[in-house]
Structures are given as structure tokens and as C-alpha cells.
PDB file of all heavy atoms in Angstrom:
ATOM      1  N   GLY A   1      -6.832 -87.008 -52.595  1.00  0.00           N
ATOM      2  CA  GLY A   1      -8.048 -87.747 -52.963  1.00  0.00           C
ATOM      3  C   GLY A   1      -8.732 -88.495 -51.790  1.00  0.00           C
ATOM      4  O   GLY A   1      -9.692 -89.164 -52.036  1.00  0.00           O
ATOM      5  N   VAL A   2      -8.191 -88.396 -50.608  1.00  0.00           N
ATOM      6  CA  VAL A   2      -8.711 -89.106 -49.432  1.00  0.00           C
ATOM      7  C   VAL A   2     -10.054 -88.405 -48.990  1.00  0.00           C
ATOM      8  O   VAL A   2     -10.169 -87.267 -48.912  1.00  0.00           O
ATOM      9  CB  VAL A   2      -7.689 -89.078 -48.310  1.00  0.00           C
ATOM     10  CG1 VAL A   2      -8.371 -89.540 -46.930  1.00  0.00           C
ATOM     11  CG2 VAL A   2      -6.506 -89.943 -48.605  1.00  0.00           C
ATOM     12  N   LYS A   3     -11.090 -89.295 -48.786  1.00  0.00           N
ATOM     13  CA  LYS A   3     -12.413 -88.903 -48.409  1.00  0.00           C
ATOM     14  C   LYS A   3     -12.652 -89.224 -46.892  1.00  0.00           C
ATOM     15  O   LYS A   3     -13.416 -88.558 -46.219  1.00  0.00           O
ATOM     16  CB  LYS A   3     -13.474 -89.602 -49.150  1.00  0.00           C
ATOM     17  CG  LYS A   3     -13.340 -89.467 -50.677  1.00  0.00           C
ATOM     18  CD  LYS A   3     -13.961 -88.224 -51.245  1.00  0.00           C
ATOM     19  CE  LYS A   3     -13.890 -88.089 -52.765  1.00  0.00           C
ATOM     20  NZ  LYS A   3     -14.819 -88.969 -53.412  1.00  0.00           N
ATOM     21  N   GLU A   4     -11.966 -90.256 -46.415  1.00  0.00           N
ATOM     22  CA  GLU A   4     -12.195 -90.751 -45.063  1.00  0.00           C
ATOM     23  C   GLU A   4     -10.859 -90.889 -44.340  1.00  0.00           C
ATOM     24  O   GLU A   4      -9.940 -91.500 -44.875  1.00  0.00           O
ATOM     25  CB  GLU A   4     -12.871 -92.130 -45.075  1.00  0.00           C
ATOM     26  CG  GLU A   4     -13.052 -92.800 -43.763  1.00  0.00           C
ATOM     27  CD  GLU A   4     -13.579 -94.235 -43.874  1.00  0.00           C
ATOM     28  OE1 GLU A   4     -13.510 -94.837 -44.953  1.00  0.00           O
ATOM     29  OE2 GLU A   4     -14.084 -94.713 -42.819  1.00  0.00           O
ATOM     30  N   ILE A   5     -10.812 -90.365 -43.143  1.00  0.00           N
ATOM     31  CA  ILE A   5      -9.612 -90.563 -42.323  1.00  0.00           C
ATOM     32  C   ILE A   5      -9.924 -91.284 -41.048  1.00  0.00           C
ATOM     33  O   ILE A   5     -10.911 -90.895 -40.403  1.00  0.00           O
ATOM     34  CB  ILE A   5      -8.996 -89.098 -42.005  1.00  0.00           C
ATOM     35  CG1 ILE A   5      -8.225 -88.590 -43.219  1.00  0.00           C
ATOM     36  CG2 ILE A   5      -8.117 -89.176 -40.749  1.00  0.00           C
ATOM     37  CD1 ILE A   5      -7.616 -87.189 -43.063  1.00  0.00           C
ATOM     38  N   MET A   6      -9.142 -92.286 -40.713  1.00  0.00           N
ATOM     39  CA  MET A   6      -9.326 -93.013 -39.455  1.00  0.00           C
ATOM     40  C   MET A   6      -8.259 -92.596 -38.537  1.00  0.00           C
ATOM     41  O   MET A   6      -7.084 -92.805 -38.785  1.00  0.00           O
ATOM     42  CB  MET A   6      -9.327 -94.517 -39.748  1.00  0.00           C
ATOM     43  CG  MET A   6     -10.558 -95.003 -40.513  1.00  0.00           C
ATOM     44  SD  MET A   6     -10.392 -96.532 -41.368  1.00  0.00           S
ATOM     45  CE  MET A   6      -9.746 -95.954 -42.905  1.00  0.00           C
ATOM     46  N   LEU A   7      -8.689 -92.039 -37.438  1.00  0.00           N
ATOM     47  CA  LEU A   7      -7.733 -91.613 -36.330  1.00  0.00           C
ATOM     48  C   LEU A   7      -7.289 -92.841 -35.577  1.00  0.00           C
ATOM     49  O   LEU A   7      -8.110 -93.540 -35.021  1.00  0.00           O
ATOM     50  CB  LEU A   7      -8.358 -90.567 -35.364  1.00  0.00           C
ATOM     51  CG  LEU A   7      -8.900 -89.279 -35.953  1.00  0.00           C
ATOM     52  CD1 LEU A   7      -9.129 -88.303 -34.879  1.00  0.00           C
ATOM     53  CD2 LEU A   7      -7.932 -88.691 -36.943  1.00  0.00           C
ATOM     54  N   ILE A   8      -5.978 -93.021 -35.466  1.00  0.00           N
ATOM     55  CA  ILE A   8      -5.415 -94.188 -34.758  1.00  0.00           C
ATOM     56  C   ILE A   8      -4.353 -93.719 -33.803  1.00  0.00           C
ATOM     57  O   ILE A   8      -3.709 -92.642 -33.987  1.00  0.00           O
ATOM     58  CB  ILE A   8      -4.868 -95.260 -35.734  1.00  0.00           C
ATOM     59  CG1 ILE A   8      -3.793 -94.659 -36.663  1.00  0.00           C
ATOM     60  CG2 ILE A   8      -5.993 -95.947 -36.496  1.00  0.00           C
ATOM     61  CD1 ILE A   8      -3.017 -95.708 -37.436  1.00  0.00           C
ATOM     62  N   ALA A   9      -4.164 -94.524 -32.750  1.00  0.00           N
ATOM     63  CA  ALA A   9      -3.116 -94.292 -31.736  1.00  0.00           C
ATOM     64  C   ALA A   9      -3.142 -95.501 -30.887  1.00  0.00           C
ATOM     65  O   ALA A   9      -4.021 -96.355 -31.002  1.00  0.00           O
ATOM     66  CB  ALA A   9      -3.446 -93.076 -30.879  1.00  0.00           C
ATOM     67  N   GLN A  10      -2.119 -95.727 -30.072  1.00  0.00           N
ATOM     68  CA  GLN A  10      -2.185 -96.755 -29.064  1.00  0.00           C
ATOM     69  C   GLN A  10      -3.402 -96.505 -28.169  1.00  0.00           C
ATOM     70  O   GLN A  10      -4.091 -97.405 -27.716  1.00  0.00           O
ATOM     71  CB  GLN A  10      -0.947 -96.800 -28.287  1.00  0.00           C
ATOM     72  CG  GLN A  10       0.040 -97.921 -28.547  1.00  0.00           C
ATOM     73  CD  GLN A  10       0.442 -97.987 -30.049  1.00  0.00           C
ATOM     74  OE1 GLN A  10       0.973 -97.006 -30.597  1.00  0.00           O
ATOM     75  NE2 GLN A  10       0.169 -99.095 -30.699  1.00  0.00           N
ATOM     76  N   GLU A  11      -3.692 -95.201 -27.942  1.00  0.00           N
ATOM     77  CA  GLU A  11      -4.752 -94.812 -26.997  1.00  0.00           C
ATOM     78  C   GLU A  11      -5.182 -93.416 -27.313  1.00  0.00           C
ATOM     79  O   GLU A  11      -4.496 -92.396 -27.032  1.00  0.00           O
ATOM     80  CB  GLU A  11      -4.156 -94.863 -25.605  1.00  0.00           C
ATOM     81  CG  GLU A  11      -5.087 -95.183 -24.503  1.00  0.00           C
ATOM     82  CD  GLU A  11      -5.841 -93.948 -23.949  1.00  0.00           C
ATOM     83  OE1 GLU A  11      -6.677 -93.408 -24.728  1.00  0.00           O
ATOM     84  OE2 GLU A  11      -5.610 -93.608 -22.760  1.00  0.00           O
ATOM     85  N   LEU A  12      -6.336 -93.277 -28.082  1.00  0.00           N
ATOM     86  CA  LEU A  12      -6.808 -91.926 -28.568  1.00  0.00           C
ATOM     87  C   LEU A  12      -7.092 -90.901 -27.469  1.00  0.00           C
ATOM     88  O   LEU A  12      -6.778 -89.769 -27.593  1.00  0.00           O
ATOM     89  CB  LEU A  12      -8.105 -92.125 -29.371  1.00  0.00           C
ATOM     90  CG  LEU A  12      -8.099 -92.517 -30.813  1.00  0.00           C
ATOM     91  CD1 LEU A  12      -9.456 -92.348 -31.433  1.00  0.00           C
ATOM     92  CD2 LEU A  12      -7.075 -91.680 -31.659  1.00  0.00           C
ATOM     93  N   THR A  13      -7.762 -91.385 -26.356  1.00  0.00           N
ATOM     94  CA  THR A  13      -8.336 -90.413 -25.481  1.00  0.00           C
ATOM     95  C   THR A  13      -7.290 -89.746 -24.609  1.00  0.00           C
ATOM     96  O   THR A  13      -7.573 -88.747 -23.868  1.00  0.00           O
ATOM     97  CB  THR A  13      -9.404 -91.090 -24.555  1.00  0.00           C
ATOM     98  OG1 THR A  13      -8.753 -92.264 -23.908  1.00  0.00           O
ATOM     99  CG2 THR A  13     -10.567 -91.604 -25.316  1.00  0.00           C
ATOM    100  N   TYR A  14      -6.068 -90.280 -24.539  1.00  0.00           N
ATOM    101  CA  TYR A  14      -4.964 -89.675 -23.774  1.00  0.00           C
ATOM    102  C   TYR A  14      -4.316 -88.475 -24.550  1.00  0.00           C
ATOM    103  O   TYR A  14      -3.540 -87.773 -24.033  1.00  0.00           O
ATOM    104  CB  TYR A  14      -3.875 -90.792 -23.600  1.00  0.00           C
ATOM    105  CG  TYR A  14      -2.922 -90.538 -22.379  1.00  0.00           C
ATOM    106  CD1 TYR A  14      -3.323 -91.009 -21.111  1.00  0.00           C
ATOM    107  CD2 TYR A  14      -1.789 -89.866 -22.546  1.00  0.00           C
ATOM    108  CE1 TYR A  14      -2.540 -90.794 -20.058  1.00  0.00           C
ATOM    109  CE2 TYR A  14      -0.899 -89.649 -21.436  1.00  0.00           C
ATOM    110  CZ  TYR A  14      -1.285 -90.100 -20.195  1.00  0.00           C
ATOM    111  OH  TYR A  14      -0.464 -89.936 -19.101  1.00  0.00           O
ATOM    112  N   TYR A  15      -4.772 -88.307 -25.806  1.00  0.00           N
ATOM    113  CA  TYR A  15      -4.212 -87.288 -26.719  1.00  0.00           C
ATOM    114  C   TYR A  15      -4.131 -85.932 -26.067  1.00  0.00           C
ATOM    115  O   TYR A  15      -5.125 -85.429 -25.556  1.00  0.00           O
ATOM    116  CB  TYR A  15      -4.976 -87.210 -28.034  1.00  0.00           C
ATOM    117  CG  TYR A  15      -4.442 -86.130 -28.918  1.00  0.00           C
ATOM    118  CD1 TYR A  15      -3.239 -86.301 -29.644  1.00  0.00           C
ATOM    119  CD2 TYR A  15      -4.997 -84.872 -28.967  1.00  0.00           C
ATOM    120  CE1 TYR A  15      -2.701 -85.374 -30.426  1.00  0.00           C
ATOM    121  CE2 TYR A  15      -4.486 -83.888 -29.726  1.00  0.00           C
ATOM    122  CZ  TYR A  15      -3.323 -84.095 -30.451  1.00  0.00           C
ATOM    123  OH  TYR A  15      -2.712 -83.063 -31.219  1.00  0.00           O
ATOM    124  N   GLY A  16      -2.953 -85.319 -26.097  1.00  0.00           N
ATOM    125  CA  GLY A  16      -2.769 -83.946 -25.659  1.00  0.00           C
ATOM    126  C   GLY A  16      -2.256 -83.798 -24.238  1.00  0.00           C
ATOM    127  O   GLY A  16      -1.665 -82.756 -23.879  1.00  0.00           O
ATOM    128  N   LEU A  17      -2.417 -84.804 -23.384  1.00  0.00           N
ATOM    129  CA  LEU A  17      -2.047 -84.676 -22.000  1.00  0.00           C
ATOM    130  C   LEU A  17      -0.534 -84.368 -21.830  1.00  0.00           C
ATOM    131  O   LEU A  17      -0.114 -83.681 -20.909  1.00  0.00           O
ATOM    132  CB  LEU A  17      -2.370 -85.950 -21.217  1.00  0.00           C
ATOM    133  CG  LEU A  17      -3.764 -85.998 -20.585  1.00  0.00           C
ATOM    134  CD1 LEU A  17      -4.046 -87.362 -20.064  1.00  0.00           C
ATOM    135  CD2 LEU A  17      -3.910 -84.984 -19.442  1.00  0.00           C
ATOM    136  N   ASP A  18       0.282 -84.893 -22.698  1.00  0.00           N
ATOM    137  CA  ASP A  18       1.749 -84.710 -22.590  1.00  0.00           C
ATOM    138  C   ASP A  18       2.204 -83.300 -23.070  1.00  0.00           C
ATOM    139  O   ASP A  18       2.968 -82.615 -22.428  1.00  0.00           O
ATOM    140  CB  ASP A  18       2.543 -85.803 -23.343  1.00  0.00           C
ATOM    141  CG  ASP A  18       2.116 -85.989 -24.760  1.00  0.00           C
ATOM    142  OD1 ASP A  18       0.897 -85.672 -25.107  1.00  0.00           O
ATOM    143  OD2 ASP A  18       2.908 -86.363 -25.574  1.00  0.00           O
ATOM    144  N   ILE A  19       1.584 -82.839 -24.199  1.00  0.00           N
ATOM    145  CA  ILE A  19       2.141 -81.559 -24.808  1.00  0.00           C
ATOM    146  C   ILE A  19       1.231 -80.424 -24.376  1.00  0.00           C
ATOM    147  O   ILE A  19       1.683 -79.226 -24.349  1.00  0.00           O
ATOM    148  CB  ILE A  19       2.349 -81.692 -26.325  1.00  0.00           C
ATOM    149  CG1 ILE A  19       1.094 -82.122 -27.056  1.00  0.00           C
ATOM    150  CG2 ILE A  19       3.500 -82.587 -26.597  1.00  0.00           C
ATOM    151  CD1 ILE A  19       1.198 -82.099 -28.563  1.00  0.00           C
ATOM    152  N   TYR A  20      -0.035 -80.602 -24.161  1.00  0.00           N
ATOM    153  CA  TYR A  20      -0.906 -79.483 -23.809  1.00  0.00           C
ATOM    154  C   TYR A  20      -1.353 -79.538 -22.371  1.00  0.00           C
ATOM    155  O   TYR A  20      -2.151 -78.634 -21.908  1.00  0.00           O
ATOM    156  CB  TYR A  20      -2.204 -79.519 -24.748  1.00  0.00           C
ATOM    157  CG  TYR A  20      -1.868 -79.438 -26.176  1.00  0.00           C
ATOM    158  CD1 TYR A  20      -2.135 -80.466 -27.053  1.00  0.00           C
ATOM    159  CD2 TYR A  20      -1.312 -78.249 -26.729  1.00  0.00           C
ATOM    160  CE1 TYR A  20      -1.881 -80.400 -28.379  1.00  0.00           C
ATOM    161  CE2 TYR A  20      -1.031 -78.173 -28.045  1.00  0.00           C
ATOM    162  CZ  TYR A  20      -1.278 -79.255 -28.941  1.00  0.00           C
ATOM    163  OH  TYR A  20      -0.985 -79.168 -30.259  1.00  0.00           O
ATOM    164  N   LYS A  21      -0.939 -80.555 -21.603  1.00  0.00           N
ATOM    165  CA  LYS A  21      -1.269 -80.724 -20.190  1.00  0.00           C
ATOM    166  C   LYS A  21      -2.798 -80.949 -19.933  1.00  0.00           C
ATOM    167  O   LYS A  21      -3.262 -80.808 -18.832  1.00  0.00           O
ATOM    168  CB  LYS A  21      -0.818 -79.535 -19.319  1.00  0.00           C
ATOM    169  CG  LYS A  21       0.669 -79.228 -19.507  1.00  0.00           C
ATOM    170  CD  LYS A  21       1.534 -80.476 -19.244  1.00  0.00           C
ATOM    171  CE  LYS A  21       3.017 -80.192 -19.646  1.00  0.00           C
ATOM    172  NZ  LYS A  21       3.733 -81.404 -20.041  1.00  0.00           N
ATOM    173  N   LYS A  22      -3.536 -81.247 -20.941  1.00  0.00           N
ATOM    174  CA  LYS A  22      -4.981 -81.624 -20.792  1.00  0.00           C
ATOM    175  C   LYS A  22      -5.359 -82.445 -22.033  1.00  0.00           C
ATOM    176  O   LYS A  22      -4.678 -82.398 -23.059  1.00  0.00           O
ATOM    177  CB  LYS A  22      -5.846 -80.444 -20.601  1.00  0.00           C
ATOM    178  CG  LYS A  22      -5.865 -79.449 -21.803  1.00  0.00           C
ATOM    179  CD  LYS A  22      -6.886 -78.387 -21.487  1.00  0.00           C
ATOM    180  CE  LYS A  22      -6.961 -77.409 -22.724  1.00  0.00           C
ATOM    181  NZ  LYS A  22      -8.057 -76.429 -22.598  1.00  0.00           N
ATOM    182  N   ARG A  23      -6.408 -83.219 -21.840  1.00  0.00           N
ATOM    183  CA  ARG A  23      -6.940 -84.015 -22.995  1.00  0.00           C
ATOM    184  C   ARG A  23      -7.490 -83.088 -24.048  1.00  0.00           C
ATOM    185  O   ARG A  23      -8.305 -82.248 -23.775  1.00  0.00           O
ATOM    186  CB  ARG A  23      -8.080 -85.004 -22.504  1.00  0.00           C
ATOM    187  CG  ARG A  23      -7.545 -86.018 -21.542  1.00  0.00           C
ATOM    188  CD  ARG A  23      -8.699 -86.852 -20.940  1.00  0.00           C
ATOM    189  NE  ARG A  23      -8.171 -87.723 -19.868  1.00  0.00           N
ATOM    190  CZ  ARG A  23      -7.780 -88.958 -20.010  1.00  0.00           C
ATOM    191  NH1 ARG A  23      -7.788 -89.504 -21.194  1.00  0.00           N
ATOM    192  NH2 ARG A  23      -7.353 -89.654 -18.941  1.00  0.00           N
ATOM    193  N   MET A  24      -7.015 -83.327 -25.288  1.00  0.00           N
ATOM    194  CA  MET A  24      -7.307 -82.342 -26.362  1.00  0.00           C
ATOM    195  C   MET A  24      -7.945 -82.987 -27.591  1.00  0.00           C
ATOM    196  O   MET A  24      -7.993 -82.448 -28.674  1.00  0.00           O
ATOM    197  CB  MET A  24      -6.035 -81.648 -26.783  1.00  0.00           C
ATOM    198  CG  MET A  24      -5.515 -80.666 -25.761  1.00  0.00           C
ATOM    199  SD  MET A  24      -6.491 -79.178 -25.629  1.00  0.00           S
ATOM    200  CE  MET A  24      -5.931 -78.221 -27.080  1.00  0.00           C
ATOM    201  N   LEU A  25      -8.407 -84.226 -27.410  1.00  0.00           N
ATOM    202  CA  LEU A  25      -9.037 -84.942 -28.572  1.00  0.00           C
ATOM    203  C   LEU A  25     -10.234 -84.154 -29.166  1.00  0.00           C
ATOM    204  O   LEU A  25     -10.396 -84.051 -30.376  1.00  0.00           O
ATOM    205  CB  LEU A  25      -9.437 -86.367 -28.214  1.00  0.00           C
ATOM    206  CG  LEU A  25      -9.976 -87.237 -29.384  1.00  0.00           C
ATOM    207  CD1 LEU A  25      -8.975 -87.323 -30.515  1.00  0.00           C
ATOM    208  CD2 LEU A  25     -10.321 -88.612 -28.841  1.00  0.00           C
ATOM    209  N   ALA A  26     -11.044 -83.596 -28.257  1.00  0.00           N
ATOM    210  CA  ALA A  26     -12.235 -82.819 -28.735  1.00  0.00           C
ATOM    211  C   ALA A  26     -11.819 -81.656 -29.600  1.00  0.00           C
ATOM    212  O   ALA A  26     -12.360 -81.350 -30.668  1.00  0.00           O
ATOM    213  CB  ALA A  26     -13.066 -82.366 -27.599  1.00  0.00           C
ATOM    214  N   ASP A  27     -10.745 -80.922 -29.170  1.00  0.00           N
ATOM    215  CA  ASP A  27     -10.227 -79.745 -29.892  1.00  0.00           C
ATOM    216  C   ASP A  27      -9.702 -80.213 -31.293  1.00  0.00           C
ATOM    217  O   ASP A  27      -9.940 -79.553 -32.269  1.00  0.00           O
ATOM    218  CB  ASP A  27      -9.148 -79.047 -29.128  1.00  0.00           C
ATOM    219  CG  ASP A  27      -9.641 -78.560 -27.768  1.00  0.00           C
ATOM    220  OD1 ASP A  27      -9.920 -79.375 -26.878  1.00  0.00           O
ATOM    221  OD2 ASP A  27      -9.711 -77.341 -27.624  1.00  0.00           O
ATOM    222  N   LEU A  28      -8.932 -81.280 -31.225  1.00  0.00           N
ATOM    223  CA  LEU A  28      -8.400 -81.852 -32.510  1.00  0.00           C
ATOM    224  C   LEU A  28      -9.556 -82.197 -33.486  1.00  0.00           C
ATOM    225  O   LEU A  28      -9.463 -81.882 -34.676  1.00  0.00           O
ATOM    226  CB  LEU A  28      -7.584 -83.046 -32.203  1.00  0.00           C
ATOM    227  CG  LEU A  28      -7.010 -83.797 -33.514  1.00  0.00           C
ATOM    228  CD1 LEU A  28      -6.066 -82.960 -34.281  1.00  0.00           C
ATOM    229  CD2 LEU A  28      -6.335 -85.118 -33.051  1.00  0.00           C
ATOM    230  N   LEU A  29     -10.567 -82.819 -32.990  1.00  0.00           N
ATOM    231  CA  LEU A  29     -11.726 -83.207 -33.823  1.00  0.00           C
ATOM    232  C   LEU A  29     -12.373 -82.003 -34.463  1.00  0.00           C
ATOM    233  O   LEU A  29     -12.709 -82.023 -35.702  1.00  0.00           O
ATOM    234  CB  LEU A  29     -12.746 -84.029 -33.061  1.00  0.00           C
ATOM    235  CG  LEU A  29     -12.302 -85.444 -32.648  1.00  0.00           C
ATOM    236  CD1 LEU A  29     -13.310 -86.076 -31.745  1.00  0.00           C
ATOM    237  CD2 LEU A  29     -12.134 -86.272 -33.922  1.00  0.00           C
ATOM    238  N   HIS A  30     -12.527 -80.931 -33.710  1.00  0.00           N
ATOM    239  CA  HIS A  30     -13.160 -79.646 -34.234  1.00  0.00           C
ATOM    240  C   HIS A  30     -12.310 -79.160 -35.409  1.00  0.00           C
ATOM    241  O   HIS A  30     -12.792 -78.836 -36.502  1.00  0.00           O
ATOM    242  CB  HIS A  30     -13.266 -78.621 -33.183  1.00  0.00           C
ATOM    243  CG  HIS A  30     -14.587 -78.589 -32.504  1.00  0.00           C
ATOM    244  ND1 HIS A  30     -15.761 -78.446 -33.235  1.00  0.00           N
ATOM    245  CD2 HIS A  30     -14.955 -78.671 -31.148  1.00  0.00           C
ATOM    246  CE1 HIS A  30     -16.775 -78.461 -32.341  1.00  0.00           C
ATOM    247  NE2 HIS A  30     -16.280 -78.589 -31.121  1.00  0.00           N
ATOM    248  N   LYS A  31     -10.964 -79.109 -35.217  1.00  0.00           N
ATOM    249  CA  LYS A  31     -10.015 -78.618 -36.236  1.00  0.00           C
ATOM    250  C   LYS A  31     -10.017 -79.511 -37.478  1.00  0.00           C
ATOM    251  O   LYS A  31     -10.033 -79.023 -38.604  1.00  0.00           O
ATOM    252  CB  LYS A  31      -8.576 -78.514 -35.674  1.00  0.00           C
ATOM    253  CG  LYS A  31      -8.442 -77.502 -34.602  1.00  0.00           C
ATOM    254  CD  LYS A  31      -8.311 -76.070 -35.204  1.00  0.00           C
ATOM    255  CE  LYS A  31      -7.817 -75.032 -34.225  1.00  0.00           C
ATOM    256  NZ  LYS A  31      -8.071 -75.052 -32.847  1.00  0.00           N
ATOM    257  N   LEU A  32     -10.042 -80.867 -37.250  1.00  0.00           N
ATOM    258  CA  LEU A  32     -10.094 -81.729 -38.427  1.00  0.00           C
ATOM    259  C   LEU A  32     -11.386 -81.675 -39.187  1.00  0.00           C
ATOM    260  O   LEU A  32     -11.492 -81.773 -40.414  1.00  0.00           O
ATOM    261  CB  LEU A  32      -9.818 -83.182 -37.961  1.00  0.00           C
ATOM    262  CG  LEU A  32      -8.401 -83.541 -37.486  1.00  0.00           C
ATOM    263  CD1 LEU A  32      -8.326 -84.943 -36.911  1.00  0.00           C
ATOM    264  CD2 LEU A  32      -7.384 -83.340 -38.603  1.00  0.00           C
ATOM    265  N   ALA A  33     -12.493 -81.554 -38.456  1.00  0.00           N
ATOM    266  CA  ALA A  33     -13.816 -81.418 -39.058  1.00  0.00           C
ATOM    267  C   ALA A  33     -13.888 -80.170 -39.930  1.00  0.00           C
ATOM    268  O   ALA A  33     -14.748 -80.152 -40.851  1.00  0.00           O
ATOM    269  CB  ALA A  33     -14.907 -81.401 -38.017  1.00  0.00           C
ATOM    270  N   ASP A  34     -13.039 -79.213 -39.692  1.00  0.00           N
ATOM    271  CA  ASP A  34     -13.052 -77.992 -40.537  1.00  0.00           C
ATOM    272  C   ASP A  34     -12.306 -78.166 -41.905  1.00  0.00           C
ATOM    273  O   ASP A  34     -12.366 -77.307 -42.758  1.00  0.00           O
ATOM    274  CB  ASP A  34     -12.379 -76.809 -39.779  1.00  0.00           C
ATOM    275  CG  ASP A  34     -13.217 -76.276 -38.665  1.00  0.00           C
ATOM    276  OD1 ASP A  34     -14.485 -76.397 -38.743  1.00  0.00           O
ATOM    277  OD2 ASP A  34     -12.701 -75.685 -37.735  1.00  0.00           O
ATOM    278  N   VAL A  35     -11.588 -79.279 -42.037  1.00  0.00           N
ATOM    279  CA  VAL A  35     -10.844 -79.538 -43.261  1.00  0.00           C
ATOM    280  C   VAL A  35     -11.781 -79.690 -44.417  1.00  0.00           C
ATOM    281  O   VAL A  35     -12.553 -80.669 -44.454  1.00  0.00           O
ATOM    282  CB  VAL A  35      -9.841 -80.711 -43.125  1.00  0.00           C
ATOM    283  CG1 VAL A  35      -9.171 -80.988 -44.476  1.00  0.00           C
ATOM    284  CG2 VAL A  35      -8.809 -80.439 -42.035  1.00  0.00           C
ATOM    285  N   LYS A  36     -11.694 -78.846 -45.419  1.00  0.00           N
ATOM    286  CA  LYS A  36     -12.606 -78.918 -46.530  1.00  0.00           C
ATOM    287  C   LYS A  36     -12.397 -80.163 -47.414  1.00  0.00           C
ATOM    288  O   LYS A  36     -11.222 -80.511 -47.663  1.00  0.00           O
ATOM    289  CB  LYS A  36     -12.441 -77.667 -47.434  1.00  0.00           C
ATOM    290  CG  LYS A  36     -13.080 -76.424 -46.835  1.00  0.00           C
ATOM    291  CD  LYS A  36     -13.054 -75.267 -47.796  1.00  0.00           C
ATOM    292  CE  LYS A  36     -13.866 -74.089 -47.282  1.00  0.00           C
ATOM    293  NZ  LYS A  36     -13.404 -73.584 -45.923  1.00  0.00           N
ATOM    294  N   GLY A  37     -13.441 -80.855 -47.750  1.00  0.00           N
ATOM    295  CA  GLY A  37     -13.271 -82.060 -48.574  1.00  0.00           C
ATOM    296  C   GLY A  37     -13.095 -83.320 -47.764  1.00  0.00           C
ATOM    297  O   GLY A  37     -13.020 -84.458 -48.385  1.00  0.00           O
ATOM    298  N   LEU A  38     -13.073 -83.217 -46.425  1.00  0.00           N
ATOM    299  CA  LEU A  38     -12.940 -84.440 -45.602  1.00  0.00           C
ATOM    300  C   LEU A  38     -14.352 -84.836 -45.233  1.00  0.00           C
ATOM    301  O   LEU A  38     -14.981 -84.186 -44.436  1.00  0.00           O
ATOM    302  CB  LEU A  38     -12.082 -84.129 -44.392  1.00  0.00           C
ATOM    303  CG  LEU A  38     -11.699 -85.282 -43.447  1.00  0.00           C
ATOM    304  CD1 LEU A  38     -11.163 -86.514 -44.219  1.00  0.00           C
ATOM    305  CD2 LEU A  38     -10.713 -84.876 -42.407  1.00  0.00           C
ATOM    306  N   HIS A  39     -14.820 -85.986 -45.776  1.00  0.00           N
ATOM    307  CA  HIS A  39     -16.225 -86.383 -45.653  1.00  0.00           C
ATOM    308  C   HIS A  39     -16.453 -87.197 -44.339  1.00  0.00           C
ATOM    309  O   HIS A  39     -17.472 -87.037 -43.705  1.00  0.00           O
ATOM    310  CB  HIS A  39     -16.613 -87.237 -46.853  1.00  0.00           C
ATOM    311  CG  HIS A  39     -16.690 -86.470 -48.111  1.00  0.00           C
ATOM    312  ND1 HIS A  39     -17.890 -86.078 -48.628  1.00  0.00           N
ATOM    313  CD2 HIS A  39     -15.711 -86.126 -48.970  1.00  0.00           C
ATOM    314  CE1 HIS A  39     -17.602 -85.382 -49.753  1.00  0.00           C
ATOM    315  NE2 HIS A  39     -16.281 -85.403 -49.973  1.00  0.00           N
TER     316      HIS A  39
END
């Protein structure tokens, strides 16, 4: 029933550097924006 998701971290923009070896926040946002029903 969730309509709004707030992305949190100690530091959002560093996301992906450790596991993908580059900043991946933009890619994550694209994938999350595709989730049906997420307003």
C-alpha cells in the first residue's frame, strides 16, 4: 500500500561505487521509477 518511498543512506550519492565501481544512483532511480504503483 506504499505510495511514496524516501531513499535514505548515510550518503546517497556514493551509491554503487563499492559494488559496481562507479556511482549508480541514476541507474537505481530509473529502475525504481519503473515500479508500477509507486507515485
Side-chain angles (χ1 to χ4, degrees):
V2 168
K3 307 274 183 74
E4 173 187 19
I5 280 177
M6 286 160 275
L7 300 194
I8 56 170
Q10 256 53 59
E11 210 273 69
L12 276 190
T13 56
Y14 204 88
Y15 176 77
L17 269 172
D18 53 330
I19 55 175
Y20 301 115
K21 306 306 171 205
K22 61 176 184 171
R23 294 174 191 266
M24 290 287 281
L25 184 56
D27 301 68
L28 173 64
L29 288 173
H30 266 305
K31 292 279 194 332
L32 290 174
D34 287 337
V35 174
K36 285 187 172 56
L38 186 50
H39 293 259

